[in-house]
Amino acid sequence: MPLLHHEDPSSSLLFSNMPGATHRHDLSGAVDVAPYVMSFADYLHGAVDYAALARGFDALPDHGMLIGGCIDNSNSGAEKLTAPDAAGGGGATPMTANSSVSSSSSEAAVGDEESDLCRKEKVKEEEEEEEEEEKEKIKEGEEGSEKSKKVSTNPKKKGEKRHREPRFAFMTKSEVDHLEDGYRWRKYGQKAVKNSPYPRSYYRCTTQKCGVKKRVERSHQDPSIVITTYEGQHNHQSPATFRGGMHHFVAPHAAPSCFMSQDFLVQQVANSMINNNGHQMGINPSLYLPSLQPTLQQHQFPDYGLLEDIVPSFIHSNQP
DNA sequence: CGATTTTGACCCGCGC
DNA sequence: GCGCGGGTCAAAATCG
């Protein structure tokens, strides 16, 4: 996927929309993305749900730049995150600031396998979308009384498959694993990642009734890269947003489709950028938008369901 | 003292 | 049916 390059080669942002991708990453690492705010947002509007990501920008401490992102619609657990390099299909995609690699690549890496999965999942998703909402409701209701139950996601209906919300993943070059994105998260688990020395952490939005989750893991291919995957959409504004006097309303329910999330992201991004005191802050110049920006705006993504769809373009751009 | 993190156990889906 | 891996829970520990 194409990247937008800025003047500063040191930082680069790579966005990839990966429908099949399962991760969303916050780029908390990137600190000042301000200059890109507008364009970024616009960009997002067109296609992806990077809002969430974007928000990370404003908060990003000192570490990191956004390397890439992708949206994953696939719900089935088929998501896999691969290191960018890996995704590249063997390191084909460099994630350096100059070179662009994308998270998509990571997911893309999984591409072959995932592409099928993603597509299947896509379909499922639609069907399950409704179910999910119901589940969530049920959950809420049950939560209080049936906590004693162990780990049963949905004790009530066994027949129902676990449904997952669209995910958005992106890679960030950052020293810190958990990037600040404006929301408050509570870590609820950590698991070792197969074939990787780095564990994957699971976070949940601490806001009541907000079921947004995110996973954070470090690429074993390039330890400096953090892969963040968002799942679901916030049904509230971020604390940061409030502080900044943000004004955008965010869709109250889980996004049924990638596009929803995209809007969401856009808003978030915009918000984050405008955040503090109404000043535009943030987006790090180091944030590079992929050349696909135009593409996104035009909604030309062939199929968001597949990473490969996106990744390839992005990869190609880098590789003649 | 409340909120968050840590961590081992458990559940679930999937492939063989 | 079994084993594996991913994801989640929840008690205990830690933090602010």
Side-chain angles (χ1 to χ4, degrees):
Chain A
M1 136 161 236
L3 296 183
L4 284 189
H5 287 285
H6 220 312
E7 308 165 320
D8 182 356
S10 62
S11 49
S12 56
L13 163 59
L14 214 99
F15 272 119
S16 38
N17 227 0
M18 309 195 51
T22 41
H23 291 265
R24 287 180 188 179
H25 282 273
D26 17 301
L27 332 172
S28 351
V31 184
D32 318 53
V33 203
Y36 295 168
V37 175
M38 297 310 280
S39 59
F40 183 54
D42 288 344
Y43 162 60
L44 294 183
H45 266 305
V48 193
D49 193 318
Y50 296 109
L53 314 180
R55 336 170 72 266
F57 297 157
D58 70 342
L60 300 179
D62 27 318
H63 357 313
M65 21 195 179
L66 177 55
I67 303 233
C70 51
I71 292 179
D72 177 7
N73 290 326
S74 60
N75 293 335
S76 42
E79 39 184 347
K80 297 177 183 176
L81 276 193
T82 35
D85 300 340
T93 49
M95 283 208 86
T96 34
N98 308 343
S99 51
S100 38
V101 174
S102 54
S103 51
S104 23
S105 60
S106 57
E107 312 242 345
V110 191
D112 290 347
E113 295 179 355
E114 288 207 343
S115 59
D116 286 340
L117 288 175
C118 293
R119 289 177 190 180
K120 290 180 187 174
E121 292 177 7
K122 258 191 172 182
V123 176
K124 279 187 195 172
E125 203 174 337
E126 290 184 23
E127 295 177 355
E128 294 175 15
E129 206 84 34
E130 291 183 19
E131 280 183 9
E132 192 144 15
E133 283 187 39
E134 284 184 41
K135 286 183 183 179
E136 303 255 42
K137 290 179 185 175
I138 293 172
K139 263 191 186 177
E140 290 177 20
E142 291 182 88
E143 233 155 347
S145 57
E146 303 219 8
K147 277 193 177 178
S148 53
K149 282 192 182 181
K150 272 207 170 178
V151 195
S152 50
T153 313
N154 250 319
K156 282 198 174 181
K157 298 183 183 180
K158 272 194 177 180
E160 290 185 12
K161 286 185 184 178
R162 227 188 239 187
H163 163 122
R164 287 204 183 160
E165 307 211 2
R167 297 180 194 157
F168 177 78
F170 58 92
M171 298 187 284
T172 308
K173 188 146 190 165
S174 171
E175 292 179 17
V176 297
D177 291 342
H178 191 194
L179 303 177
E180 185 57 52
D181 60 5
Y183 285 103
R184 295 190 63 190
W185 302 91
R186 175 195 234 144
K187 186 175 184 177
Y188 67 89
Q190 178 173 304
K191 288 281 281 187
V193 178
K194 194 180 177 185
N195 298 323
S196 173
Y198 307 100
R200 174 182 299 153
S201 296
Y202 299 87
Y203 298 87
R204 184 172 293 159
C205 181
T206 59
T207 300
Q208 278 193 328
K209 296 188 178 182
C210 179
V212 178
K213 296 175 203 169
K214 84 172 178 181
R215 286 180 297 185
V216 177
E217 66 183 89
R218 199 167 278 282
S219 167
H220 68 282
Q221 298 281 345
D222 184 345
S224 66
I225 293 171
V226 175
I227 301 172
T228 304
T229 303
Y230 286 93
E231 185 174 323
Q233 287 193 358
H234 294 280
N235 56 8
H236 58 94
Q237 291 185 324
S238 73
T241 293
F242 280 120
R243 275 184 266 137
M246 219 30 200
H247 4 289
H248 287 304
F249 169 79
V250 179
H253 54 272
S257 68
C258 339
F259 288 101
M260 272 279 270
S261 341
Q262 291 173 358
D263 283 346
F264 174 68
L265 283 176
V266 174
Q267 289 183 353
Q268 306 238 339
V269 173
N271 287 344
S272 59
M273 300 193 169
I274 297 176
N275 234 340
N276 299 320
N277 311 322
H279 286 35
Q280 275 194 355
M281 15 190 310
I283 293 201
N284 195 334
S286 50
L287 189 70
Y288 293 103
L289 288 182
S291 53
L292 60 110
Q293 178 169 357
T295 303
L296 289 177
Q297 291 183 329
Q298 296 175 19
H299 291 212
Q300 293 186 341
F301 283 102
D303 182 344
Y304 284 96
L306 301 179
L307 292 178
E308 60 183 2
D309 287 340
I310 294 170
V311 175
S313 60
F314 140 65
I315 293 173
H316 290 162
S317 67
N318 291 335
Q319 301 178 358

